[in-house]
Amino acid sequence: MKLLTRIPATYWIAALLTASLILFIGMRLDTGKLERGGVLAASQANAGAVKVDKGMDELPKDADFQTVAESEELELRLDAKTGHFTVTDKRSGNVWHSYPDPGEWPTEDQEGIWRTHLRSPVMLSYMDLTGKVKQPKETNLLEEQGQIIDAAVIDGGFRLTFDMPSKSFTIPIEVKVEGDSIVTRIVESGIKEGSLSLVWVRLYPFFGAEHSSGQEGYLFIPDGSGALIPYNQHNTNVNRLYQEAVYGPDISFKANDDPQSRNPVSIPVFGAKSGDKGFVSVIEDGAEFSDVVASPSGVFSGYNWITAQQNYRSSYKQVTNEAKGRFFITYNKEQRFHGDRSVRYFLLDRTKANYVGMAERYRQYLMNVHKLEPLKPKNDAKMPMTINIVGAERAPGGLITDRYLRSTTTSGAMDMVQRLYDLGIDNMVVNYMGWAKGGFSDYGAPLPVDKRLGGDSGMKAFIQFAHTLDIPVYLNTNYMFHTSQDGDFTKRKHGLRDLGGTIPKNIVSLGYLDKVLDHDIEYFKMLGADGVTLGVDVDG
């Protein structure tokens, strides 16, 4: 007792408070919900160090997930040991996983590195650009026995870092719940590279992945206006993989000149449907550096999956002889694409879990975020119509130069529009093409309107006439290429150069185009045109 009395009372009070705090934290964690700012207990988990027997033990355990954030529609839960998350849709009760559907895992027979790809929260491609052999390699967090570090709860979700000391890569991420959507983000400021260089990263690539098991299901890919890949039982065939760059390939990096049969990706959107579950995703930050990758079952596994591949470097062709017949494909170590990368997953309610529901949700997103408004035709009772008028074209076969084939002069266009208007087609828009010298195929330096068609005065009179009928007139041109013999353009001085120093075709550099546009905009205003339509022909 004498020993006890020698300890000051303040020490006993501090000890009592500490014990109470520990008890309180334990009770809070037992509820399965973590408060904002809390550092997760498994924040130093070594995600791939332990050998796991094949089976359900390979996947995260339900008991390890804790609620980190909620909205009116969704509940976000995190397993800090693996870096994976689940989302419960309160409207339908559907549960989404950031990894393949665990209910179908016992029948998944994929082996090797692709089995660890399926289980990993992050995949990546890298290169050693300091050596002679420059061939990209793929890996993942589990394969590298990486760690989950710095895991913590933040407003609306969680943050954590994938640390892979074996490759000297550090990739910090955030995941948040916002209304009916989940937003994943790769945080640029914390990315670290060592001697190896990142090529691309796929974050939670198997979100919503499911087997083809008789349900109505499909992957939505942004091929042109959109296309669907049905969930079927496919045989192994890697040629079924879909991968296309958002907004099309960057010509300054384009290493493959082979013609493509697929339509260009014009919207940064993809999605998936399986039974009464569906989501549509919008690639937000970094869309211009992203690919959409879709893999039906039978390609790399039995799962159907679709994701955004975040590219940090791009290959280019380095020509090694003057005739451009010899070259090699390489990457630039110093030039990495920077910026945060974010993808927003809208989880669709059961009645909207289809292609139409995806389109409606994306339309609502555009209206809410980008303030787009529905087009309101001037005449709701009549179908709008766009009239394409071709002024002229050039054709080979002339004695000295190409023949000039005149099609529709400005006065002829006036007669054409009047006739259509008299027939009751009054809800129209005119797109005048091939009005420059050289005709439709004469790209670059398009000014002025060819005199053989009526010249500037004729075009101005036509536009004024169309405006009396409340009909807008747009003038079509192509600023991407320069095939005209007029103007001060020289390919060597003003042409676009790729990263290897080669000038591809007759493509105009942005520096030259900047001056041209400043001049041409005033010219189009002088004519009274309502706008300009741009032709983009990647074949030149």
Side-chain angles (χ1 to χ4, degrees):
M1 292 299 296
K2 290 184 178 180
L3 177 63
L4 292 178
T5 57
R6 291 173 184 168
I7 300 176
T10 54
Y11 280 71
W12 289 106
I13 295 174
L16 182 61
L17 289 174
T18 301
S20 300
L21 181 59
I22 294 172
L23 179 61
F24 173 76
I25 292 175
M27 294 177 64
R28 295 293 290 180
L29 289 176
D30 286 341
T31 66
K33 182 163 184 177
L34 293 170
E35 298 301 319
R36 176 180 176 272
V39 177
L40 305 186
S43 62
Q44 299 294 331
N46 196 329
V50 180
K51 175 67 176 178
V52 181
D53 292 334
K54 186 176 179 180
M56 294 303 294
D57 286 343
E58 294 176 289
L59 299 183
K61 306 295 188 295
D62 289 343
D64 292 332
F65 286 91
Q66 296 175 318
T67 300
V68 293
E70 293 185 67
S71 67
E72 185 176 340
E73 297 89 352
L74 307 176
E75 178 185 3
L76 175 64
R77 294 168 61 83
L78 169 69
D79 173 14
K81 296 179 181 178
T82 64
H84 277 297
F85 66 87
T86 64
V87 185
T88 301
D89 191 330
K90 300 177 183 178
R91 300 164 297 182
S92 62
N94 285 332
V95 178
W96 296 86
H97 302 83
S98 64
Y99 49 95
D101 186 351
E104 296 160 341
W105 188 253
T107 61
E108 177 55 51
D109 56 7
Q110 182 61 262
E111 301 288 350
I113 190 173
W114 263 97
R115 193 170 185 89
T116 55
H117 280 337
L118 290 170
R119 298 167 48 216
S120 177
V122 63
M123 289 177 60
L124 61 141
S125 174
Y126 66 92
M127 289 185 68
D128 182 359
L129 292 173
T130 62
K132 294 182 179 180
V133 180
K134 296 180 174 63
Q135 185 66 31
K137 297 181 180 180
E138 292 183 8
T139 190
N140 60 64
L141 182 73
L142 299 182
E143 199 73 15
E144 299 304 324
Q145 298 188 351
Q147 294 181 329
I148 307 294
I149 63 173
D150 301 331
V153 179
I154 59 176
D155 277 341
F158 66 87
R159 69 166 181 263
L160 56 82
T161 298
F162 301 122
D163 186 35
M164 288 163 272
S166 62
K167 295 293 185 288
S168 299
F169 287 134
T170 300
I171 303 174
I173 68 144
E174 293 180 354
V175 178
K176 293 184 178 182
V177 56
E178 297 181 7
D180 61 344
S181 67
I182 294 293
V183 182
T184 65
R185 178 178 298 275
I186 301 175
V187 183
E188 164 68 26
S189 60
I191 293 178
K192 295 180 182 178
E193 299 174 296
S195 60
L196 302 175
S197 301
L198 276 176
V199 176
W200 53 252
V201 174
R202 297 174 187 170
L203 179 61
Y204 299 115
F206 307 106
F207 177 88
E210 296 201 15
H211 278 182
S212 302
S213 52
Q215 80 278 38
E216 180 191 5
Y218 46 75
L219 302 174
F220 160 61
I221 57 175
D223 184 74
S225 60
L228 305 178
I229 303 176
Y231 284 8
N232 294 319
Q233 295 289 351
H234 298 293
N235 294 323
T236 301
N237 185 352
V238 295
N239 292 329
R240 293 181 181 274
L241 182 73
Y242 172 90
Q243 181 168 354
E244 291 294 324
V246 176
Y247 308 133
D250 186 334
I251 298 174
S252 62
F253 286 94
K254 188 178 179 183
N256 183 5
D257 293 328
D258 296 337
Q260 299 293 320
S261 60
R262 288 172 174 163
N263 295 309
V265 175
S266 56
I267 53 174
V269 180
F270 61 90
K273 167 191 167 58
S274 178
D276 65 353
K277 296 174 64 177
F279 70 85
V280 61
S281 300
V282 181
I283 307 174
E284 296 184 320
D285 297 332
E288 65 273 23
F289 303 123
S290 303
D291 289 358
V292 174
V293 181
S295 175
S297 64
V299 179
F300 292 116
S301 70
Y303 284 95
N304 301 277
W305 55 272
I306 188 167
T307 191
Q309 175 177 295
Q310 309 294 350
N311 299 312
Y312 286 89
R313 285 178 174 84
S314 183
S315 62
Y316 66 93
K317 183 186 296 185
Q318 182 64 65
V319 176
T320 58
N321 68 328
E322 187 175 354
K324 303 179 183 178
R326 292 197 299 269
F327 62 88
F328 61 91
I329 305 301
T330 187
Y331 293 75
N332 188 302
K333 181 174 179 58
E334 304 304 325
Q335 189 169 3
R336 178 163 71 81
F337 307 141
H338 293 278
D340 282 7
R341 311 299 177 87
S342 64
V343 179
R344 183 179 297 272
Y345 295 81
F346 289 107
L347 306 186
L348 306 173
D349 203 359
R350 283 176 174 169
T351 59
K352 298 293 185 179
N354 50 48
Y355 176 72
V356 175
M358 295 178 192
E360 290 177 346
R361 190 62 188 88
Y362 181 51
R363 178 181 61 189
Q364 190 62 48
Y365 167 83
L366 292 176
M367 295 170 65
N368 292 344
V369 176
H370 298 288
K371 309 305 178 184
L372 269 65
E373 297 181 1
L375 292 175
K376 297 179 181 179
K378 63 182 180 181
N379 189 337
D380 294 333
K382 294 187 177 181
M383 183 71 69
M385 179 180 290
T386 298
I387 308 297
N388 290 321
I389 298 176
V390 178
E393 177 60 311
R394 61 184 180 185
L399 182 61
I400 300 177
T401 61
D402 293 340
R403 290 184 299 154
Y404 182 81
L405 304 178
R406 186 172 62 179
S407 176
T408 309
T409 63
T410 53
S411 60
M414 198 178 300
D415 294 337
M416 183 186 298
V417 170
Q418 183 67 66
R419 289 181 59 190
L420 292 172
Y421 188 87
D422 292 342
L423 290 172
I425 306 176
D426 57 353
N427 191 14
M428 75 176 91
V429 174
V430 173
N431 183 33
Y432 207 126
M433 313 165 75
W435 47 270
K437 181 180 179 181
F440 178 76
S441 299
D442 196 26
Y443 300 154
L447 314 183
V449 177
D450 197 293
K451 292 182 178 180
R452 288 167 289 187
L453 298 177
D456 289 350
S457 59
M459 182 63 74
K460 195 171 184 178
F462 167 65
I463 293 174
Q464 290 174 347
F465 162 76
H467 286 173
T468 63
L469 303 179
D470 198 21
I471 295 173
V473 177
Y474 292 82
L475 300 182
N476 179 266
T477 188
N478 190 323
Y479 283 109
M480 185 175 181
F481 298 93
H482 198 295
T483 60
S484 173
Q485 301 302 316
D486 296 333
D488 62 348
F489 178 86
T490 59
K491 184 175 179 179
R492 183 176 296 275
K493 183 178 179 181
H494 303 121
L496 174 73
R497 294 180 183 271
D498 64 20
L499 218 59
T502 303
I503 304 174
K505 300 179 182 179
N506 294 300
I507 303 173
V508 178
S509 69
L510 295 179
Y512 176 80
L513 183 59
D514 191 46
K515 298 183 296 182
V516 173
L517 288 176
D518 287 341
H519 173 265
D520 287 7
I521 288 173
E522 296 303 318
Y523 174 79
F524 292 128
K525 288 181 179 179
M526 179 274 294
L527 292 179
D530 294 274
V532 178
T533 57
L534 303 175
V536 178
D537 179 7
V538 296
D539 294 327

